[in-house]
Amino acid sequence: MVKSKRQAAGTRPTMMDVAAAAGVSQATVSLVLSGSKLARLTDATRRRVMETAEQLNYKFVRRGPRTTGQATILFIADEASTDPWMSLAFEGVRDKALDFGVNALMAVSHADADLETSILSSLRDQSILGIVYGTILTRQVGLPAAFGAHRTVLVNCYDEQGALPAVLPADLLAGRVATEHLIGLGRRRIGMINGQQGLDNPRDRLRGYKQALTSHDLAFDAALVKPGNWEPSSGYAMTMELMAQDNPPDAIFCANDLMAMGCFEALKQLGRKIPEDVAVVGFDDREIARFLHPPLTTMVLPQYEMGQTAAELLLDSAGGLTTGPNRIKVECELIQRGSTLGAKQLAGVAEPAE
């Protein structure tokens, strides 16, 4: 029987444990256990996740409103889409809440202030311990006055006044770590395909990229930074532009995995080997990252951990431990795979299991 370290220690298994034991991402576990039909997952992957969850005795519970008076953490997401980010954040909230015997439920508001006020009004007969408000994109938010009656923690967003605690991904540090990883491989001309302009994540990831170059006495070259739009098509087009330069890059940092997919296609069309000719790093750790050829080195977007941290802040506040408004940055882990491995390491890398 599969057994996680947490289980061996007598701790309730989490979605992270299921993902590690099944050899898939947290996003895949969330999509499979929620019954999503939108994700392009093989039957073998779905079956492996379900069997692993059963072996670990991981309980995935769809929870609706309860009127028993039990304390509840309400998670309000601004958007539900094929991206699993808010589902992952909710699972982090839910797992942490269950450890303390607290219920958790999720609602989607589509960033509609009237709908958010209505959601809170409909739950006034319940014992609400607090609210976690999350957004798909890292951005500034302005919440309706109704939130003022509840403890509130923000996930992947922040308020202008800084009046509410916020849990955010450490994008600046992640940009630096990704770039330094490439520098550590001996790459000296590192391109970057960034995300949609005007958003917080691309801005901070670019700052981290620049900091890493400066720390290693490498000059910043604006020609090596190209604007993308998060889609594979822009990764492909921008890679073509980068590689058409007289002195093309020997490494490319893509601000998300989807653009890295397009980058792979362009490099292969040009006859460039990955990573021998050009090393590639992505961002998000989507399920597709491990099934590219070679598998993609990437930074994890820590939505699950962010949800857990938000729940901890609410539980601490409910217990009388209040530290005041602050912004907590959760580190993004580097997952090294074939797209940045050296020749000797590549020789020992097996093909990903189906």
Side-chain angles (χ1 to χ4, degrees):
M1 172 182 282
V2 178
K3 184 169 285 191
S4 71
K5 293 180 180 179
R6 289 171 55 87
Q7 212 177 12
T11 306
R12 184 192 306 275
T14 71
M15 185 165 55
M16 294 175 65
D17 298 319
V18 178
V24 299
S25 68
Q26 294 175 44
T28 295
V29 174
S30 177
L31 289 168
V32 171
L33 297 185
S34 65
S36 173
K37 303 300 182 184
L38 298 175
R40 296 180 179 177
L41 302 174
T42 65
D43 291 339
T45 296
R46 292 181 185 275
R47 185 167 56 252
R48 186 165 73 252
V49 170
M50 295 297 293
E51 290 175 352
T52 303
E54 182 177 354
Q55 291 170 355
L56 291 178
N57 197 29
Y58 175 73
K59 303 299 183 183
F60 181 89
V61 183
R62 294 178 179 273
R63 296 181 179 268
R66 300 175 66 172
T67 57
T68 61
Q70 176 182 350
T72 297
I73 293 178
L74 173 62
F75 184 101
I76 298 179
D78 71 335
E79 184 181 332
S81 67
T82 54
D83 283 335
W85 308 137
M86 285 299 95
S87 294
L88 282 171
F90 171 67
E91 285 303 308
V93 170
R94 172 186 169 274
D95 285 348
K96 180 60 65 175
L98 285 178
D99 284 340
F100 289 82
V102 175
N103 186 31
L105 62 91
M106 181 176 179
V108 179
S109 71
H110 306 290
D112 184 320
D114 291 337
L115 179 55
E116 289 166 357
T117 300
S118 177
I119 290 171
L120 295 180
S121 177
S122 69
L123 296 172
R124 64 181 140 207
D125 292 333
Q126 294 198 52
S127 176
I128 301 296
L129 183 146
I131 299 170
V132 175
Y133 186 89
T135 58
I136 289 287
L137 299 175
T138 305
R139 63 182 179 87
Q140 180 179 300
V141 296
L143 301 183
F147 281 84
H150 303 277
R151 300 181 188 91
T152 301
V153 176
L154 305 177
V155 166
N156 207 38
C157 55
Y158 54 92
D159 63 312
E160 182 179 8
Q161 295 77 22
L164 298 173
V167 185
L168 302 156
D171 282 305
L172 189 153
L173 177 60
R176 180 165 181 159
V177 168
T179 308
E180 288 186 334
H181 173 64
L182 294 168
I183 294 172
L185 297 173
R187 311 297 168 131
R188 290 297 178 267
R189 189 158 175 81
I190 300 170
M192 180 178 184
I193 302 175
N194 210 356
Q196 184 179 342
Q197 296 184 13
L199 298 177
D200 289 30
N201 312 84
R203 178 200 65 204
D204 288 344
R205 291 170 194 176
L206 177 60
R207 290 172 60 197
Y209 164 86
K210 290 180 177 179
Q211 285 186 5
L213 295 178
T214 300
S215 296
H216 292 270
D217 295 324
L218 296 176
F220 170 71
D221 183 349
L224 287 176
V225 178
K226 298 293 182 179
N229 63 4
W230 305 121
E231 298 298 328
S233 57
S234 67
Y236 177 90
M238 295 302 102
T239 299
M240 285 297 194
E241 289 189 15
L242 286 170
M243 300 309 294
Q245 296 181 16
D246 292 337
N247 186 13
D250 56 7
I252 300 176
F253 169 34
C254 299
N256 81 340
D257 292 344
L258 294 181
M259 292 191 297
M261 289 175 57
C263 175
F264 269 45
E265 277 302 307
L267 291 173
K268 290 177 180 179
Q269 184 172 321
L270 293 170
R272 305 299 177 92
K273 293 182 179 180
I274 306 170
E276 292 86 349
D277 298 328
V278 182
V280 181
V281 173
F283 206 113
D284 288 345
D285 194 30
R286 289 176 179 267
E287 183 65 14
I288 189 62
R290 68 189 66 219
F291 293 108
L292 294 176
H293 298 282
L296 176 65
T297 294
T298 187
M299 305 297 299
V300 175
L301 188 61
Q303 294 285 5
Y304 180 86
E305 292 80 1
M306 289 160 60
Q308 284 195 313
T309 302
E312 287 178 355
L313 291 174
L314 284 180
L315 292 162
D316 285 346
S317 179
L321 179 61
T322 303
T323 59
N326 52 57
R327 293 184 184 179
I328 296 176
K329 298 293 183 74
V330 180
E331 288 189 23
C332 307
E333 180 185 0
L334 174 74
I335 306 296
Q336 185 176 8
R337 300 191 180 103
S339 68
T340 63
L341 292 177
K344 290 183 179 180
Q345 293 172 302
L346 278 171
V349 174
E351 289 296 311
E354 175 62 16

